[in-house]
């Protein structure tokens, strides 16, 4: 019971002051007093194994172990069993033990300087590790705080780790130091230690792999033969096959793999020391320690043209010059598949050319197809921006490959005649380039960036100048010759139009002009022209109809004459064929009568032959059937004889077995009867009167017996009548 003293009193020696609290512990009977008030009942706390009770002193007191405690002091009670707290002791709670295993440890921090259970002084703020080697279960003290559970770090024989701020032999962290731990090994990280990049795998390098290393401080490198001293900042590369664990003085910069390249593939490589960039083509190459892949800068439009699946010849009619919004969108989509470190290549199609300019040597080269162009580090493609549409609009087609032709270009031109009639001409020009093996002449092909626009403008100017000097009627009748003279000019020697026109700036040659349509721009002129054309067409049509009618009548008369002559010829031929038919019918009747008699004779002979063969075959089959029946009967009789012999042998064997078993049974029966009587009983029978012996032996089922002591001779001549002595009375004798 927990008691409170209301007034001072003295009982059995000690003096109690008002306000003191007391504890009446059982077992016992408490008699209440007026000076004391019962506050309540205090029950003992049960401390189970692997647990402890945390107590706190509310006033200065002495605990159960006789140790003085000051107000506010806390301590732990670890003894298992029931614990009754003192009057000035408060139970804060029960603390459970942490079970330590080989895979787990406890990270503990001291919140106050104290001496732990093992007698070691722990200073405030000190952190340490409790493992299974220290104890199996851990109950934190009141001055200890559990920071966390530390799991074991396990390394296989293919792993390693680097520990930063490792703990030395005195248990202090070496700040800034690093320690290499190789597998196979299991350990706990001490407080303050951290793993740099976690558990890492050993570098296993194949034939086509390597790693680039850099020394962080001076050390002796024993991974190479002979050993080499490395200075801070040194960089080198190790190539496989090998296994490598970098020491703490070495930093792994990169893991490299050989890049296999086809003869039509390559990469750009830059030396980071000299800055020189070169292209490696057609070999399997691994970057050195002072090399890196270089990303070649290419204009966005060129990247778009190279990335799209577009044939320069087949898709030449497509307009590839998107707006700015579409350009940005296409560029972002192409970045996923574009690799700027790969050598840029383009397949030049047949009858096409590509110009490549080297900004370093300031020279250009023209490649004619079919061929493969591979750009060097300082080379770029020459872009062409061509006009397209009708009428022509600039910058509609962007391309790299220049088609050499022959091809055509169409344009719409508005001209005005001398009598001020405005006409719209739809004209197509056939053209082709004149290639040359000389690079200077070949470079002229790309001298004009928009050759289609320039050609159409130049020829349109010539056509407008020529048409402006003639009237509409004259131009309508001679439009083809006027335009050809305007485009090609006249030969001074012959006075006839030239066959072609050559542009020497880019070696472009125009070979022909096709006038697709001529339409007046003014509506009244168009209507008048339409009426005159319609009238001319009607007159031409009527004249053609009359000529065609006369030709049809003439052809009809000629056909009738040929038909009559053919009818007479056919009748003569029919009579001739009928005569031949009658002769053939007579000959066929004679052959038919002769063939019928011959066929009947042959059929009767064949029938007789078939019957004879059938009789022979039947006789063979009967003989075979008789043989089969005889063999079957013989086999049956043989099987029956063997079965009888086997049955008799088995029956005799069973009789023998039965006789043996009966003899064994009789022997066992007699032996069991003798054993049941015993030797003493038989001895008593032998020594008793003869009548009694006879009855006893008869009860045993014996018809004749002879009992002797083995020493007295026996006369066997009278055994048939006196084996057991003379039988008295009418009792039948035993034999």
């Amino acid at each position: 019971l927990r008691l409170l003293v209301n007034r001072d009193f003295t009982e059995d020696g000690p003096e109690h002051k008002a306000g003191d609290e007391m504890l009446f512990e059982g077992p016992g009977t408490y008699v209440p007093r007026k000076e004391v008030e019962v506050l309540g009942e205090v029950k003992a706390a049960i401390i189970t194994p692997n647990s402890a009770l945390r107590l706190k002193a509310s006033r200065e007191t002495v605990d159960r172990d006789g140790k003085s405690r000051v107000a506010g002091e806390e301590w732990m009670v670890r003894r298992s069993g029931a614990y009754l707290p003192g009057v000035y002791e408060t139970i804060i709670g029960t603390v459970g033990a942490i079970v330590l295993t080989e895979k787990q440890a406890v990270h503990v921090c001291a919140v106050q300087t104290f001496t732990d259970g093992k007698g070691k002084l722990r200073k405030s703020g000190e952190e340490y590790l409790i493992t299974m080697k220290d104890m199996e279960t851990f109950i934190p003290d009141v001055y200890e705080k559990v920071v966390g559970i530390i799991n074991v770090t396990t390394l296989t024989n293919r792993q390693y780790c680097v520990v930063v701020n490792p703990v030395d032999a005195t248990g202090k962290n070496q700040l800034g130091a690093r320690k290499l731990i190789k597998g196979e090994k299991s350990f706990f990280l001490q407080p303050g230690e951290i793993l740099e990049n976690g558990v890492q795998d050993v570098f296993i390098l194949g034939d086509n792999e390597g790693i680039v290393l850099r020394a962080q401080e001076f050390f002796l490198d024993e991974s190479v033969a002979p050993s080499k001293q490395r200075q801070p900042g040194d960089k080198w590369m190790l190539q496989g096959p090998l296994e490598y664990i970098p020491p703490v003085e070495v930093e792994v910069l990169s893991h490299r793999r050989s890049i296999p390249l086809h003869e039509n593939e390559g990469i750009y490589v830059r030396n980071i020391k000299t800055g020189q960039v070169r292209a490696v083509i057609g070999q399997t190459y691994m970057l050195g320690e002072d090399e890196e892949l270089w990303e070649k800068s290419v204009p966005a439009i060129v990247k778009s043209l190279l990335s799209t699946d577009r044939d320069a010849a087949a898709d030449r009619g497509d307009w590839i010059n998107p707006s700015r919004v579409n350009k940005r969108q296409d560029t972002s989509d192409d970045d996923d598949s574009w690799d700027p470190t790969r050598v840029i290549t383009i397949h030049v199609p047949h009858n096409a050319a590509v110009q490549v300019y080297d900004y370093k040597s300031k020279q250009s080269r023209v490649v004619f197809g079919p061929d493969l162009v591979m750009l060097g580090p300082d080379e770029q493609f020459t872009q062409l921006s061509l006009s397209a549409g009708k009428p022509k609009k600039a910058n509609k087609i962007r391309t790299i490959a220049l088609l050499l032709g022959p091809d055509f270009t169409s344009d719409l031109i508005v001209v005005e005649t001398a009598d001020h009639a405005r006409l719209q001409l739809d004209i197509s020009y056939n053209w082709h380039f004149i290639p040359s093996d000389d690079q200077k002449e070949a470079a002229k092909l790309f001298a004009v960036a928009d050759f289609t626009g320039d050609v159409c403008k130049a020829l349109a100017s010539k056509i407008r100048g020529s048409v402006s000097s003639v009237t509409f009627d004259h131009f309508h009748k001679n439009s083809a010759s006027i335009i050809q003279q305007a485009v090609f000019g006249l030969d001074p020697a012959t006075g006839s139009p030239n066959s072609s026109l050559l542009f020497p700036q880019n070696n472009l040659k125009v070979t022909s002009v096709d006038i697709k349509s001529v339409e007046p721009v003014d509506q009244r002129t168009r209507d008048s022209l339409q009426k005159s054309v319609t009238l001319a067409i009607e007159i031409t049509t009527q004249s053609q109809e009359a000529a065609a009618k006369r030709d049809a009548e003439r052809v009809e008369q000629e056909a009738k004459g040929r038909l009559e002559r053919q009818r007479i010829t056919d009748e003569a031929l029919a009579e001739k064929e009928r005569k031949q038919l009658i002769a053939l019918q007579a000959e066929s009747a004679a052959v038919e009568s002769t063939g019928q008699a011959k066929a009947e004779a042959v059929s009767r002979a064949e029938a007789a032959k078939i019957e004879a063969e059938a009789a022979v075959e039947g006789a063979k089959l009967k003989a075979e059937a008789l043989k089969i029946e005889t063999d079957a009967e013989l086999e049956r009789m043989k099987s029956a004889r063997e079965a009888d012999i086997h049955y008799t042998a088995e029956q005799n064997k069973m009789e023998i077995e039965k006789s043996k078993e009966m003899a064994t049974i009789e022997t066992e029966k007699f032996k069991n009867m003798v054993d049941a009587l015993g030797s003493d009983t038989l001895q008593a029978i032998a020594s008793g009167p003869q009548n009694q012996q006879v009855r006893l032996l008869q009860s045993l089922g014996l018809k004749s017996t002879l009992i002797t002591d083995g020493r007295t001779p026996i006369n066997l001549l009278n055994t048939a009548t006196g084996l057991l002595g003379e039988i008295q009375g009418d009792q039948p004798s035993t034999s």
Side-chain angles (χ1 to χ4, degrees):
L1 296 177
R2 189 180 184 89
L3 307 176
L4 176 64
V5 179
N6 294 326
R7 290 187 296 174
D8 298 346
F9 74 97
T10 302
E11 180 183 12
D12 298 335
E15 182 179 1
H16 301 283
K17 299 292 186 180
D20 289 346
E21 293 184 1
M22 301 184 300
L23 200 65
F24 179 80
E25 299 180 6
T29 302
Y30 174 72
V31 179
R33 297 174 59 94
K34 61 182 180 179
E35 298 88 354
V36 178
E37 178 185 357
V38 178
L39 296 179
E41 182 178 350
V42 179
K43 294 184 178 180
I46 305 301
I47 303 176
T48 60
N50 294 330
S51 64
L53 198 63
R54 185 167 183 172
L55 303 176
K56 182 178 181 181
S58 58
R59 287 177 54 181
E60 293 184 1
T61 183
V62 178
D63 61 11
R64 301 262 181 203
D65 296 331
K67 188 175 181 180
S68 299
R69 304 290 183 180
V70 297
E73 182 180 356
E74 296 182 2
W75 70 97
M76 304 289 290
V77 178
R78 291 180 170 84
R79 293 190 305 271
S80 299
Y83 180 81
L84 185 65
V87 64
Y88 297 118
E89 295 177 359
T90 303
I91 299 176
I92 297 178
T94 301
V95 180
I98 300 175
V99 180
L100 302 177
T101 63
E102 295 179 352
K103 296 183 179 181
Q104 287 186 338
V106 181
H107 182 190
V108 182
C109 178
V111 297
Q112 182 178 334
T113 302
F114 75 104
T115 302
D116 61 10
K118 300 177 66 177
K120 188 174 182 179
L121 180 64
R122 302 291 186 182
K123 294 184 179 181
S124 178
E126 180 182 355
E127 296 183 2
Y128 48 94
L129 203 66
I130 305 297
T131 63
M132 188 177 179
K133 295 180 180 180
D134 301 325
M135 57 188 71
E136 294 183 355
T137 58
F138 171 70
I139 301 176
D141 199 81
V142 293
Y143 302 117
E144 293 177 326
K145 181 179 70 173
V146 177
V147 179
I149 302 297
I150 305 299
N151 294 321
V152 68
T153 302
T154 303
L155 302 177
T156 65
N157 58 355
R158 286 291 181 271
Q159 292 178 331
Y160 73 97
C161 66
V162 177
V163 179
V164 182
N165 305 328
V167 175
D168 58 7
T170 61
K172 295 182 179 179
N173 292 99
Q174 298 177 347
L175 300 179
R178 300 164 73 235
K179 178 182 178 182
L180 176 65
I181 301 177
K182 302 178 182 179
E184 300 174 352
K185 191 173 184 181
S186 297
F187 63 94
F188 292 100
L189 286 177
Q190 297 295 327
E193 294 181 341
I194 57 175
L195 288 180
E196 186 180 53
N197 299 326
V199 177
Q200 304 179 58
D201 294 331
V202 175
F203 288 94
I204 301 177
L205 305 179
D207 295 337
N208 60 340
E209 294 179 314
I211 52 175
V212 180
L213 308 174
R214 182 171 62 191
Q216 300 291 337
E217 54 186 273
F218 176 80
F219 78 103
L220 181 63
D221 187 3
E222 298 180 353
S223 62
V224 295
S227 300
K228 188 176 181 180
Q229 292 182 350
R230 303 289 187 183
Q231 300 294 333
D234 284 352
K235 186 187 295 184
W236 70 99
M237 185 171 73
L238 295 179
Q239 294 186 2
L242 57 84
E243 293 182 4
Y244 182 73
I245 298 177
V248 294
E249 298 87 1
V250 175
E251 177 188 5
V252 179
L253 296 181
S254 62
H255 182 195
R256 293 184 175 176
R257 190 184 299 272
S258 297
I259 303 174
L261 300 174
H262 188 259
E263 60 181 358
N264 294 334
E265 295 179 331
I267 54 175
Y268 297 112
V269 179
R270 183 169 74 99
N271 191 304
I272 59 178
K273 285 187 176 180
T274 62
Q276 181 181 2
V277 181
R278 60 191 179 93
V280 179
I281 300 173
Q283 59 177 327
T284 300
Y285 187 76
M286 179 183 292
L287 296 176
E289 62 271 14
D290 297 326
E291 294 178 337
E292 66 178 2
L293 291 175
W294 181 70
E295 295 184 359
K296 183 176 177 62
S297 178
V298 179
I301 186 64
V302 175
K303 186 187 299 184
S304 177
L305 292 174
L306 294 176
S307 300
T308 55
D309 186 12
R310 180 174 178 269
D311 185 82
D315 302 331
R316 62 184 182 277
D318 297 341
W319 294 357
I320 307 296
N321 189 14
S323 62
R324 290 184 177 180
V325 177
N326 293 333
K327 267 188 197 174
R328 296 193 192 99
Q329 183 177 2
D330 294 340
T331 303
S332 61
D333 294 339
D334 295 339
D335 288 342
D336 297 336
S337 59
W338 180 263
D339 187 1
T341 63
R342 291 278 179 169
V343 171
I344 299 173
T345 61
I346 181 173
H347 293 274
V348 183
H350 176 68
N351 202 25
V354 172
Q355 186 181 40
V356 179
Y357 185 78
D358 191 339
Y359 286 90
K360 186 175 182 180
S361 62
K362 299 189 182 304
Q363 293 181 355
S364 63
R365 58 188 175 98
V366 178
V367 181
F368 294 95
D371 200 351
L372 178 69
V373 178
M374 306 183 74
L375 286 186
D378 301 313
E379 292 180 337
Q380 290 289 352
F381 291 112
T382 299
Q383 304 176 41
L384 296 176
S385 180
L386 305 180
S387 300
K390 290 192 304 183
K392 285 290 181 285
K393 294 182 180 179
N395 299 325
K396 280 294 184 179
I397 298 178
R398 301 295 294 272
T399 183
I400 296 174
L402 175 65
L403 299 179
L404 302 179
D407 205 340
F408 68 92
T409 299
S410 299
D411 194 13
L412 291 178
I413 305 173
V414 177
V415 298
E416 186 174 357
T417 61
D419 51 358
H420 304 291
R422 294 174 58 83
L423 304 175
Q424 179 176 291
L425 308 181
D426 187 357
I427 302 178
S428 292
Y429 310 105
N430 289 340
W431 54 265
H432 67 272
F433 286 96
I434 302 175
S436 175
D437 295 334
D438 186 7
Q439 285 293 327
K440 290 185 179 180
E441 290 295 323
K444 291 183 178 180
L445 300 177
F446 295 86
V448 180
D450 185 10
F451 72 91
T452 56
D454 291 348
V455 167
C456 290
K457 289 179 182 177
L459 298 182
S461 176
K462 290 184 177 183
I463 293 173
R464 280 194 291 267
S466 297
V467 174
S468 62
S469 62
V470 298
T471 62
F472 170 74
D473 185 56
H474 179 70
F475 176 76
H476 182 66
K477 295 179 180 179
N478 306 290
S479 59
S481 60
I482 294 174
I483 292 176
Q484 285 185 355
Q485 292 179 10
V487 172
F488 300 119
L490 296 176
D491 187 359
T494 61
S496 60
N498 294 321
S499 60
S500 62
L501 175 64
L502 178 66
F503 290 88
Q505 295 84 358
N506 58 350
N507 289 337
L508 177 66
K509 189 173 185 180
V510 179
T511 57
S512 64
V513 180
D514 181 18
I515 305 172
K516 294 183 179 180
S517 64
V518 178
E519 295 181 358
V521 178
D522 183 45
Q523 184 64 36
R524 288 180 299 175
T525 305
R526 184 181 303 175
D527 294 341
S528 300
L529 180 62
Q530 185 67 30
K531 288 180 181 178
S532 61
V533 171
T534 304
L535 181 60
I537 292 173
E538 289 179 355
I539 294 172
T540 304
T541 303
Q542 290 175 359
S543 62
Q544 290 178 352
E545 287 180 355
K549 186 175 181 181
R550 290 193 298 271
D551 291 341
E553 291 176 353
R554 178 176 57 80
V555 170
E556 183 181 1
Q557 293 297 327
E558 291 177 354
K560 288 181 178 179
R562 287 195 299 271
L563 179 62
E564 185 65 23
R565 288 196 300 272
Q566 185 66 34
R567 185 179 64 78
I568 296 171
T569 303
D570 291 342
E571 289 179 355
L573 292 176
E575 289 295 331
K576 184 178 180 180
E577 292 295 333
R578 189 177 297 109
K579 179 180 179 182
Q580 293 179 358
L581 176 62
I582 294 172
L584 291 175
Q585 286 178 351
E587 185 179 355
S588 176
V591 172
E592 182 180 358
S593 60
T594 305
Q596 183 176 2
K598 182 178 179 181
E600 289 179 357
V602 172
S603 63
R604 284 194 295 271
E606 289 293 332
K609 181 180 179 182
I610 292 171
E611 289 178 358
E613 290 178 353
V616 172
E617 188 68 23
K620 288 182 180 179
L621 294 177
K622 288 180 181 180
E624 290 179 0
L626 181 60
K627 182 180 178 182
I628 292 171
E629 291 177 359
T630 306
D631 292 342
E633 182 64 22
L634 180 61
E635 187 67 24
R636 185 188 66 77
M637 293 177 66
K638 183 178 178 182
S639 300
R641 297 296 182 270
E642 290 178 354
D644 292 341
I645 293 171
H646 181 70
Y647 173 74
T648 305
E650 290 293 330
Q651 188 175 13
N652 294 337
K653 185 177 179 181
M654 292 174 63
E655 289 293 336
I656 293 170
E657 292 291 335
K658 178 179 179 182
S659 300
K660 288 182 180 179
E661 293 293 333
M662 292 300 295
T664 303
I665 292 171
E666 290 294 333
T667 304
E668 290 293 330
K669 175 181 177 183
F670 180 74
K671 183 179 178 183
N672 292 335
M673 293 173 65
V674 172
D675 292 341
L677 292 175
S679 59
D680 296 337
T681 305
L682 294 177
Q683 185 177 2
I685 293 171
S687 61
Q690 293 183 352
N691 294 335
Q692 186 179 0
Q693 294 176 0
V694 172
R695 289 194 297 273
L696 290 173
L697 293 174
Q698 288 178 351
S699 64
L700 294 175
L702 298 179
K703 296 181 179 180
S704 175
T705 183
L706 176 63
I707 300 174
T708 178
D709 56 0
R711 293 190 300 273
T712 306
I714 301 173
N715 183 8
L716 297 177
L717 297 176
N718 297 323
T719 54
T721 57
L723 185 60
L724 295 177
E726 186 178 355
I727 303 301
Q728 296 178 1
D730 297 334
Q731 186 177 359
S733 61
T734 59
S735 59

